[in-house]
Amino acid sequence: MSDRCGNCDAEITDGGIIKGPNRRYGPGQVAILNFVSGTQYTDICEKCGRNDYESAILGLKGERQQCQDYMTANVVDFPMMTISQVPPDADCRIKSMVTANVTVGTGLFSELSQGFSDMFGATNVASGMALKVNSGEATARSILVTKAVAMGANCIVGVDVDYGTTANNAATVNMQGTAVVIRNLDAILDTDVLERFGTFEAKLARAQEITRWLAGDFAAD
């Protein structure tokens, strides 16, 4: 391989005491830059390609993070149902059981009086037992959705939520359900619910697509 860059003719070197390094980008790095930026480089080095390459990578990672932030903020848009059986007109395929066990704080039962006060507006619902339980439920739901998505599911049915305490009197939220693929969600979900999930699903698909690109997999595009 030439010791000069095929794009800018700069010397390819690991550097030394006085001269800084100028390394050649590998084939995978060149490929992702060409793919993202629409360029046609065959050989680039740090001198001529660093800005474009780093901009492409940062752009992809930033977009993926935006997708992940959206999904985190809108995890409730992923269909989860307490029904043990889906409607008969649903084309359903079962994936597997998903579970989540979350410790949310101390003293579930010792804070019951706080909880009753929360119910009737006597205290701030942004504190006390209500906050802990709601936070635990949200975390457990996120865990279930993450596991279901990893299986390729688009719905969780038979969802059950239990509450308890640990040996040291910490409150727990235990949530479980069955991850499934329902191929005709439009047959069972209301229009607004389906639309929200459609946006969630699009963000998920984009995040997965970017992850493949960053790994050098462009075959499906």
Coordinates of all heavy atoms in Angstrom, one line a residue, residues 111-134:
E111 N -45.9 3.9 54.1 CA -46.3 5.2 53.5 C -47.7 5.2 53.0 O -48.2 6.0 52.2 CB -45.4 5.5 52.3 CG -43.9 5.8 52.8 CD -43.0 6.2 51.6 OE1 -43.6 6.6 50.6 OE2 -41.8 6.1 51.8
L112 N -48.5 4.2 53.4 CA -49.9 4.1 52.9 C -50.7 5.4 53.3 O -51.5 5.9 52.5 CB -50.6 2.9 53.5 CG -50.4 1.6 52.8 CD1 -51.0 0.4 53.5 CD2 -50.9 1.7 51.4
S113 N -50.5 5.9 54.5 CA -51.2 7.1 54.9 C -50.8 8.3 54.0 O -51.7 9.1 53.6 CB -50.8 7.5 56.3 OG -49.4 7.7 56.5
Q114 N -49.6 8.3 53.5 CA -49.2 9.3 52.6 C -49.9 9.1 51.3 O -50.4 10.1 50.6 CB -47.7 9.3 52.3 CG -47.1 10.2 51.2 CD -47.0 11.6 51.7 OE1 -46.5 11.9 52.7 NE2 -47.6 12.5 50.9
G115 N -50.0 7.8 50.9 CA -50.7 7.5 49.6 C -52.2 7.9 49.6 O -52.7 8.5 48.7
F116 N -52.9 7.7 50.8 CA -54.3 8.1 50.9 C -54.4 9.6 50.8 O -55.4 10.1 50.2 CB -54.9 7.5 52.2 CG -55.1 6.1 52.1 CD1 -54.7 5.3 53.2 CD2 -55.9 5.5 51.1 CE1 -54.9 3.9 53.1 CE2 -56.1 4.1 51.1 CZ -55.6 3.3 52.1
S117 N -53.5 10.3 51.4 CA -53.5 11.7 51.3 C -53.3 12.2 49.8 O -54.0 13.1 49.4 CB -52.4 12.4 52.2 OG -52.6 12.1 53.5
D118 N -52.4 11.5 49.1 CA -52.2 11.8 47.7 C -53.5 11.7 46.9 O -53.8 12.5 46.1 CB -51.1 10.9 47.1 CG -49.7 11.2 47.7 OD1 -49.6 12.2 48.3 OD2 -48.8 10.3 47.5
M119 N -54.2 10.6 47.2 CA -55.4 10.3 46.5 C -56.4 11.4 46.5 O -57.1 11.7 45.6 CB -56.1 9.0 47.0 CG -55.4 7.7 46.6 SD -56.1 6.3 47.4 CE -57.8 6.4 46.8
F120 N -56.5 12.1 47.7 CA -57.5 13.1 47.9 C -57.0 14.5 47.8 O -57.6 15.5 48.2 CB -58.2 12.9 49.3 CG -59.0 11.6 49.4 CD1 -58.4 10.5 50.0 CD2 -60.2 11.4 48.7 CE1 -59.1 9.3 50.1 CE2 -60.8 10.2 48.7 CZ -60.3 9.2 49.4
G121 N -55.8 14.6 47.2 CA -55.2 15.9 47.0 C -54.7 16.7 48.2 O -54.5 17.9 48.1
A122 N -54.5 16.0 49.3 CA -54.0 16.7 50.5 C -52.5 16.9 50.4 O -52.0 17.8 51.2 CB -54.4 15.8 51.7
T123 N -51.8 16.2 49.6 CA -50.4 16.4 49.4 C -50.0 16.4 48.0 O -50.8 16.1 47.1 CB -49.6 15.2 50.1 OG1 -49.9 14.0 49.4 CG2 -49.9 15.1 51.6
N124 N -48.8 16.8 47.7 CA -48.3 16.9 46.4 C -48.0 15.5 45.8 O -47.2 14.8 46.4 CB -46.9 17.7 46.4 CG -46.5 18.0 45.0 OD1 -47.0 17.5 44.0 ND2 -45.4 18.9 44.9
V125 N -48.6 15.2 44.7 CA -48.5 13.9 44.1 C -47.1 13.7 43.4 O -46.8 12.6 43.0 CB -49.6 13.6 43.0 CG1 -50.9 13.5 43.7 CG2 -49.6 14.6 41.9
A126 N -46.3 14.8 43.4 CA -45.0 14.7 42.9 C -44.0 14.3 44.0 O -42.8 14.4 43.8 CB -44.5 16.0 42.3
S127 N -44.5 13.8 45.1 CA -43.6 13.3 46.2 C -44.3 12.1 46.8 O -45.4 11.7 46.5 CB -43.4 14.4 47.2 OG -44.6 14.8 47.8
G128 N -43.6 11.5 47.8 CA -44.1 10.4 48.6 C -44.3 9.1 47.8 O -43.7 8.9 46.8
M129 N -45.2 8.3 48.3 CA -45.4 7.0 47.7 C -45.9 7.1 46.3 O -45.5 6.3 45.4 CB -46.4 6.2 48.6 CG -46.6 4.7 48.1 SD -47.9 3.9 49.0 CE -49.3 4.6 48.3
A130 N -46.8 8.0 46.0 CA -47.3 8.1 44.6 C -46.2 8.3 43.6 O -46.2 7.6 42.6 CB -48.3 9.3 44.5
L131 N -45.2 9.1 43.9 CA -44.1 9.4 43.0 C -43.3 8.1 42.8 O -42.9 7.7 41.7 CB -43.2 10.5 43.5 CG -42.0 10.8 42.7 CD1 -42.3 11.2 41.3 CD2 -41.1 11.8 43.4
K132 N -43.0 7.4 43.9 CA -42.2 6.2 43.9 C -42.8 5.1 43.1 O -42.2 4.5 42.2 CB -41.9 5.7 45.3 CG -41.0 6.7 46.1 CD -40.8 6.1 47.5 CE -40.0 7.1 48.4 NZ -39.8 6.6 49.8
V133 N -44.1 4.9 43.3 CA -44.8 3.8 42.6 C -45.0 4.2 41.1 O -44.7 3.3 40.3 CB -46.2 3.6 43.2 CG1 -47.0 2.6 42.4 CG2 -46.0 3.0 44.6
N134 N -45.3 5.4 40.8 CA -45.5 5.8 39.4 C -44.1 5.7 38.7 O -44.1 5.2 37.5 CB -46.0 7.2 39.3 CG -47.4 7.4 39.7 OD1 -48.2 6.4 39.7 ND2 -47.9 8.6 40.1

